[in-house]
Amino acid sequence: MLHLRLITPSDSTDEVVRLIEKTVGTTHLVVLAGAARNPAGDVVMCDVAREAGDELIGALRALDLDKTGSIAVDNIDLSLSRRADKAEEEAPGEGADAVLWEHLADATHEESTLSVTYIAFLTLATMIAACGVVLDNAILIVGAMAVGPEFGPLAGLSTAIVQRHPRLALRSLTALIVGFAVAMAVTVGFSLLMDALGQFSLEQLDDDRPNTGFVYAPDAFSFVVAVLAGIAGTLSLTSAKSGALVGVAISVTTVPAAANAAVALSYGDTTQTVGSTNQLLLNLLGIVLAGTLTLFFQKWLWSRQRSRFSNL
């Protein structure tokens, strides 16, 4: 269930209430006349089944309530109510399959913003991965994958393509390109420093690396794993199963490939630099492609379920 807290201008409250009352899957409607001060107006609250949430939020935005008032949405972790149970039964489809497009767009917008924190996390992840590839340490590679924040802009790009949102697409691309460029540039300097301190060496990079050699040797499985990870990551976002993102993060070879490319570049090893760059691009492409197709499929599937419900 979702909890909606609305601030409505007094002359729009009746229309908002009628909209909520006719939306299948809503319950626990509360109207507090004149309770809002900034902006001034009435406070309207209700609970709605997740599978009916996107339709209701879209209808409220069509009334320009996001401009004249406020729309706040919270997840309800526990609701002990027969009315809530009935609302979920009456709503079309299953809540786990529903996509809250407004929530998804808002979440990916925040995650795909180029910020100091985003660049710091990506740079630190790349530097950790650099230690991992030189030492051929799988634990460091996994740790670097978990720290890397790059799935946010990738999900944002997929969402922007499906929603036809060019500004979000540009924001996501900027975060990806600038973020990886800065992270790799800093890692080149880090590699040179570690070499000067005697911690990194060309011999370690060129040595047989059974645990990390895959990062500069892309193959068909690289793309397959990226596609599967992209599907899993997108489903975790749309179904609010955020815990699955950790598994997605440690299954793709984006950050390790960027790190290996940076270290190889610091030693002038063009073979590993090109191979690692190809691995990076292949993974990015696979994730975006899978995420976009997954969102298109979810959108199509949900529209069919809603049309089937409306025909009953």
Side-chain angles (χ1 to χ4, degrees), residues 94-135:
E94 295 292 334
D97 297 332
V99 180
L100 298 177
W101 291 100
E102 297 296 338
H103 176 269
L104 181 62
D106 183 69
T108 52
H109 178 277
E110 181 179 350
E111 293 295 327
S112 61
T113 300
L114 183 65
S115 63
V116 174
T117 301
Y118 167 81
I119 292 179
F121 270 113
L122 187 57
T123 301
L124 290 170
T126 307
M127 292 167 67
I128 293 171
C131 296
V133 296
V134 172
L135 298 176

Side-chain angles (χ1 to χ4, degrees), residues 9-257:
S10 298
D11 57 354
S12 302
T13 300
D14 290 341
E15 186 177 9
V16 170
V17 170
R18 285 194 297 270
L19 173 62
I20 294 173
E21 289 177 333
K22 75 176 185 180
T23 300
V24 177
T26 59
T27 187
H28 303 154
L29 177 61
V30 177
V31 180
L32 304 175
R37 293 292 181 268
N38 183 22
D42 304 329
V43 175
V44 179
M45 295 182 287
C46 71
D47 295 340
V48 58
R50 180 181 173 85
E51 50 269 42
D54 189 64
E55 179 183 1
L56 178 57
I57 294 171
L60 291 170
R61 292 198 65 184
L63 296 176
D64 289 332
L65 192 59
D66 55 323
K67 300 175 182 176
T68 60
S70 170
I71 304 173
V73 184
D74 294 315
N75 281 305
I76 300 177
D77 295 327
L78 177 64
S79 180
L80 303 177
S81 167
R82 289 185 178 180
R83 290 183 178 271
D85 295 339
K86 183 179 179 182
E88 289 187 319
E89 292 174 0
E90 293 176 346
E94 295 292 334
D97 297 332
V99 180
L100 298 177
W101 291 100
E102 297 296 338
H103 176 269
L104 181 62
D106 183 69
T108 52
H109 178 277
E110 181 179 350
E111 293 295 327
S112 61
T113 300
L114 183 65
S115 63
V116 174
T117 301
Y118 167 81
I119 292 179
F121 270 113
L122 187 57
T123 301
L124 290 170
T126 307
M127 292 167 67
I128 293 171
C131 296
V133 296
V134 172
L135 298 176
D136 194 35
N137 190 313
I139 295 177
L140 292 176
I141 293 296
V142 172
M145 289 175 171
V147 171
E150 73 279 6
F151 189 81
L154 293 170
L157 184 56
S158 295
T159 302
I161 293 172
V162 175
Q163 293 292 87
R164 299 179 181 178
H165 199 319
R167 293 185 64 182
L168 178 57
L170 180 60
R171 180 187 295 267
S172 300
L173 279 173
T174 301
L176 282 172
I177 295 173
V178 176
F180 272 109
V182 172
M184 292 174 71
V186 173
T187 303
V188 168
F190 174 71
S191 177
L192 293 172
L193 174 63
M194 294 295 283
D195 180 78
L197 295 175
Q199 301 302 311
F200 284 6
S201 68
L202 180 59
E203 290 73 20
Q204 288 175 297
L205 185 69
D206 290 337
D207 198 10
D208 183 30
R209 291 187 279 146
N211 294 320
T212 60
F214 66 92
V215 299
Y216 62 89
D219 55 20
F221 278 106
S222 301
F223 185 74
V224 170
V225 172
V227 168
L228 296 176
I231 296 172
T234 302
L235 290 175
S236 72
L237 287 176
T238 58
S239 63
K241 302 293 185 181
S242 58
L245 281 177
V246 177
V248 172
I250 62 177
S251 62
V252 291
T253 322
T254 49
V255 168

Side-chain angles (χ1 to χ4, degrees), residues 213-219 257 260-261 264 269-282:
F214 66 92
V215 299
Y216 62 89
D219 55 20
N260 199 86
D269 187 337
T270 57
T271 300
Q272 287 200 36
T273 300
V274 172
S276 301
T277 303
N278 289 338
Q279 179 77 277
L280 172 63
L281 296 176
L282 191 63

Side-chain angles (χ1 to χ4, degrees), residues 257-298:
N260 199 86
V263 175
L265 183 62
S266 70
Y267 285 112
D269 187 337
T270 57
T271 300
Q272 287 200 36
T273 300
V274 172
S276 301
T277 303
N278 289 338
Q279 179 77 277
L280 172 63
L281 296 176
L282 191 63
N283 276 264
L284 295 177
L285 175 63
I287 293 173
V288 172
L289 178 62
T292 302
L293 292 178
T294 300
L295 289 176
F296 270 125
F297 178 75
Q298 288 182 290

